Amino acid sequence: MWLLWALLCVQGVRAVYELSDRGGWGRQFDGIGAVSGGGATSRLLVNYAEPYRSQILDYLFKPNFGASLHIFKVEIGGDAQTTDGTEPSHMHYPDDQNYFRGYEWWLMKEAKKRNPDIKLVGLPWAFPGWIGYGKNWPYDFPDVTAYYVVSWIIGAKQYHDLDIDYVGIWNERAFDVPYIKVLRNTLDRLGLHNIGIIAADGNWEIASEMVIDPYLYDAVQIIGAHYPGTLTVEDAISTGKQLWASEDYSTFNDEVGGGCWARILNQNYVNGNITSTISWNLVASYYEQLPFGLEGLMTAKEPWSGNYIVSSPIWITAHTTQFTQPGWYYLRTVGHLENGGTYVALTDRKGNITIIIETMSHDNSICIRPPLPKFNVSAQNATFKLDGSFNDLKSLQVWYSKLCTNATKPALFTKKSAIPVTGGLFTVELGVDEVYTLTTLTTGQKGSYPKPPESQPFPRKYMDDFNVRNPPFSEAPYFADQSGVFEYFTNTSDPGEHVFTFRQVLTQRPITWVSDASQAISVIGDYSWSNVMVTCDIYIETPGTGSAFIAARVNQGGSLSNLAKGIYFWVFVDGTYKVTGDLEGKIVLRKGLAGVRARQWHTLTLHVKVRRW
């Protein structure tokens, strides 16, 4: 008897993982989501022609079709650069309110059209300059900032019939306790008690303030941290508040990115009690050469061709979202597998159960941030024991993904034969870099559309006269603002050919999120063009100090726009011109007289040619 026991100890006994609700449930599940913004990450999506635009939206939002997202978070535009571009504010100035600028309103409505139950979140990355009264800081006048944010919430309802569910403070920047309390009081005073505050979209440090400040504790509904590495802190757990990875992922949407997403969707709860994970970003719908190109759940960066790519993170998302809903509960019996990987189980508390298993290896699940400590995963057979409400189940539906490693062909969100359950037991043969969903639900579906058009470069010849009487969006197609805000403008004072124009509308520097360029700039086209001719009619409105430029071969956008090199042709209202090699105008290549004056139309033409030696 002793010899047999010793032999079993040496060889090991296969673990049995219990899945039971006998001891109650774990935390409530709040859903999986994605971010549009931070910034201008959906800029090109609006310019897709039908049916391709609707197809992309279906892959993102339509229930039981693709990613089937539960939560949709958008930037509250603040007129400043916030990663890949600027998004316009609904209030450029205190006496200006316009709830039709930009594309986030449209995108939220499209999400709601497909899934009326989707939760909506708004978060500022930047603020228009008037809020700071000359300072690059939004908290000195908390009533003003709260008024600005709450106006966006009210405008969403009044003009678009959109109910915002949550609002944040200031993305990845310092939080201010008095402002959070003022925001909560403002919401409550206006009858918006149902809108939860998420704080503080940085790290977990606000939790240490909440445990000693009962008023702050009451004001905050969700503690949201960014890129937590699947971990939380004791103060956050001790509050008893719901904990979110309110921004996470931010990784190329290849198979390694899919592995990153699969790992953190499970491990954020297993390791950190995190009940919602939100991807930055929703869809990589911006010029690829801008920062963090191809870092959405899917890619849609060519509206001129109609091409888009349904990437692996869409189907990894579906493993959870198509078989759960916000309001379900995690079981307490979740955890790590013996040979690496994790499992979670959720229930609607009505007899349904969904189990998600991931076995992502280290090298095939590295996220861009934070650093990932080394770990090992190997093939294994995992036996699970259903107990409690699930003891009498006879079978479970199975969905399977195998992410591509080396020469292995990926299998993404494939329906397998149901797995039998005998005496509450079932066994799954697990390889490495796999995801399994086992569920009582039978509603899952891998949606599909015909293959989209082939990829094409930006058209070599392109022109726009902005002659649109009722533009559906405030921005002209394909233009991506990097500093300043450009909008369609009907110039009724001009009886000639310049009635319909594209106008830079800001006259005050916003409260910035990064180091915005000092010059307004909007980019379009292909940065790799070498022989280029750019022609533009320009009108400078500001006498004395006004200027304008056109440029080609601009090599930098996004958060580092101020460092952009290229060929810039500037004209000034004093009649001079210069050609520079940078946006800041420090590398002067040529200068002279041009005869340009304010409040007159002029045509600028820039030829850039590669010299052949």
Side-chain angles (χ1 to χ4, degrees):
M1 181 71 72
W2 180 88
L3 180 61
L4 176 60
W5 171 247
L7 186 62
L8 286 172
C9 288
V10 171
Q11 293 182 344
V13 177
R14 180 189 301 166
V16 176
Y17 305 99
E18 183 181 35
L19 300 172
S20 176
D21 58 0
R22 284 190 185 278
W25 305 285
R27 291 191 172 225
Q28 180 177 293
F29 173 65
D30 293 318
I32 306 301
V35 182
S36 172
T41 53
S42 305
R43 173 64 195 90
L44 298 176
L45 176 59
V46 298
N47 300 136
Y48 270 80
E50 295 295 349
Y52 310 115
R53 189 171 71 177
S54 289
Q55 292 172 3
I56 295 164
L57 293 167
D58 285 349
Y59 280 116
L60 294 168
F61 298 116
K62 186 177 179 180
N64 297 317
F65 188 87
S68 306
L69 293 170
H70 301 137
I71 300 171
F72 182 37
K73 179 178 179 179
V74 303
E75 176 177 350
I76 300 176
D79 294 337
Q81 171 63 245
T82 54
T83 299
D84 289 297
T86 66
E87 297 204 21
S89 171
H90 60 288
M91 295 178 70
H92 294 320
Y93 305 102
D95 57 352
D96 163 62
Q97 293 195 39
N98 184 326
Y99 297 94
F100 295 91
R101 293 189 183 113
Y103 39 85
E104 303 295 6
W105 310 108
W106 166 82
L107 199 44
M108 285 190 284
K109 287 190 288 187
E110 291 294 323
K112 277 285 189 181
K113 182 190 302 182
R114 287 160 174 81
N115 179 7
D117 295 326
I118 197 167
K119 303 294 184 182
L120 299 178
V121 183
L123 173 66
W125 266 252
F127 299 86
W130 61 270
I131 285 177
Y133 287 84
K135 293 176 63 176
N136 197 46
W137 187 249
Y139 296 139
D140 283 350
F141 303 91
D143 289 316
V144 172
T145 308
Y147 162 74
Y148 168 78
V149 171
V150 174
S151 294
W152 182 86
I153 294 170
I154 294 172
K157 180 64 175 178
Q158 181 176 349
Y159 294 97
H160 302 284
D161 198 26
L162 291 168
D163 293 305
I164 304 302
D165 296 284
Y166 302 97
V167 66
I169 306 304
W170 189 12
N171 183 74
E172 295 177 352
R173 296 297 180 261
F175 63 87
D176 182 76
V177 171
Y179 166 68
I180 295 173
K181 295 175 183 177
V182 168
L183 178 60
R184 180 72 268 164
N185 289 336
T186 305
L187 290 167
D188 291 345
R189 179 167 45 84
L190 295 172
L192 301 172
H193 309 279
N194 58 310
I195 296 176
I197 291 178
I198 302 173
D201 285 294
N203 55 31
W204 297 110
E205 65 180 2
I206 194 170
S208 60
E209 298 273 355
M210 292 172 63
V211 296
I212 60 174
D213 185 337
Y215 298 102
L216 178 63
Y217 179 91
D218 290 341
V220 174
Q221 182 177 354
I222 306 290
I223 301 178
H226 288 194
Y227 308 97
T230 77
L231 301 175
T232 187
V233 297
E234 185 57 39
D235 277 347
I237 295 173
S238 68
T239 64
K241 297 284 187 176
Q242 293 292 88
L243 311 179
W244 287 16
S246 50
E247 183 178 311
D248 215 333
Y249 176 59
S250 184
T251 298
F252 298 120
N253 56 24
D254 55 12
E255 266 58 56
V256 173
C260 155
W261 188 230
R263 178 175 55 79
I264 64 177
L265 284 182
N266 263 26
Q267 295 190 22
N268 272 348
Y269 186 74
V270 171
N271 299 338
N273 290 296
I274 295 167
T275 58
S276 175
T277 300
I278 298 177
S279 163
W280 189 91
N281 57 69
L282 174 73
V283 54
S285 200
Y286 45 99
Y287 290 108
E288 184 178 345
Q289 292 75 27
L290 291 171
F292 307 103
L294 307 181
E295 290 197 8
L297 296 178
M298 63 180 290
T299 299
K301 61 183 177 65
E302 289 187 13
W304 49 86
S305 72
N307 178 261
Y308 63 86
I309 301 170
V310 183
S311 308
S312 63
I314 288 288
W315 303 118
I316 295 303
T317 310
H319 272 281
T320 298
T321 54
Q322 289 203 21
F323 308 104
T324 60
Q325 287 296 325
W328 283 42
Y329 277 76
Y330 285 98
L331 297 187
R332 293 182 179 178
T333 49
V334 302
H336 291 263
L337 299 168
E338 273 194 343
N339 289 0
T342 58
Y343 64 97
V344 296
L346 302 96
T347 179
D348 62 356
R349 300 188 294 175
K350 299 176 183 178
N352 285 307
I353 184 171
T354 291
I355 305 148
I356 305 108
I357 305 167
E358 60 81 21
T359 59
M360 295 301 114
S361 62
H362 176 275
D363 291 352
N364 291 312
S365 67
I366 297 175
C367 305
I368 281 185
R369 64 189 110 163
L372 181 63
K374 281 288 187 181
F375 60 87
N376 296 313
V377 180
S378 59
Q380 57 195 303
N381 291 333
T383 298
F384 295 86
K385 169 65 175 174
L386 297 175
D387 200 2
S389 301
F390 320 111
N391 188 52
D392 295 330
L393 292 177
K394 302 303 180 186
S395 66
L396 293 168
Q397 304 297 310
V398 180
W399 290 82
Y400 168 78
S401 290
K402 171 78 173 182
L403 291 170
C404 180
T405 56
N406 301 322
T408 306
K409 185 177 180 180
L412 294 174
F413 201 57
T414 302
K415 194 173 192 309
K416 298 284 191 180
S417 299
I419 189 169
V421 179
T422 305
L425 294 167
F426 65 93
T427 298
V428 185
E429 184 179 343
L430 301 172
V432 179
D433 295 324
E434 294 181 340
V435 182
Y436 276 90
T437 297
L438 303 105
T439 180
T440 53
L441 300 183
T442 59
T443 51
Q445 179 185 354
K446 185 174 184 179
S448 65
Y449 285 110
K451 185 179 178 182
E454 293 297 321
S455 174
Q456 298 288 338
F458 192 91
R460 289 185 176 274
K461 293 184 178 181
Y462 183 79
M463 69 87 63
D464 194 336
D465 61 6
F466 311 116
N467 190 346
V468 183
R469 293 187 179 274
N470 295 296
F473 299 100
S474 56
E475 306 96 332
Y478 310 151
F479 280 90
D481 300 348
Q482 300 301 305
S483 180
V485 173
F486 292 77
E487 298 176 354
Y488 280 113
F489 175 68
T490 302
N491 182 22
T492 55
S493 65
D494 192 309
E497 60 183 356
H498 297 112
V499 174
F500 300 101
T501 63
F502 199 44
R503 186 190 198 194
Q504 201 290 118
V505 299
L506 299 188
T507 59
Q508 182 180 15
R509 188 173 177 84
I511 296 174
T512 58
W513 191 68
V514 293
S515 299
D516 285 34
S518 57
Q519 302 293 336
I521 181 172
S522 189
V523 299
I524 186 172
D526 189 330
Y527 89 110
S528 66
W529 286 336
S530 53
N531 296 313
V532 187
M533 182 179 76
V534 182
T535 297
C536 182
D537 289 358
I538 61 101
Y539 182 93
I540 301 174
E541 298 183 66
T542 310
T545 59
S547 65
F549 69 86
I550 58 175
R553 300 177 70 179
V554 176
N555 75 341
Q556 183 72 61
S559 304
L560 299 177
S561 295
N562 59 314
L563 303 178
K565 301 295 189 291
I567 304 297
Y568 298 80
F569 175 27
W570 306 73
V571 292
F572 302 89
V573 294
D574 64 0
T576 63
Y577 83 90
K578 66 180 178 181
V579 178
T580 70
D582 65 324
L583 178 59
E584 294 297 300
K586 297 177 180 178
I587 306 171
V588 179
L589 305 175
R590 182 173 294 183
K591 60 183 179 179
L593 296 176
V596 170
R597 293 290 182 264
R599 297 175 181 170
Q600 297 178 24
W601 283 98
H602 301 274
T603 300
L604 303 186
T605 300
L606 172 65
H607 291 266
V608 179
K609 294 184 177 180
V610 175
R611 179 175 294 177
R612 304 297 182 185
W613 297 96

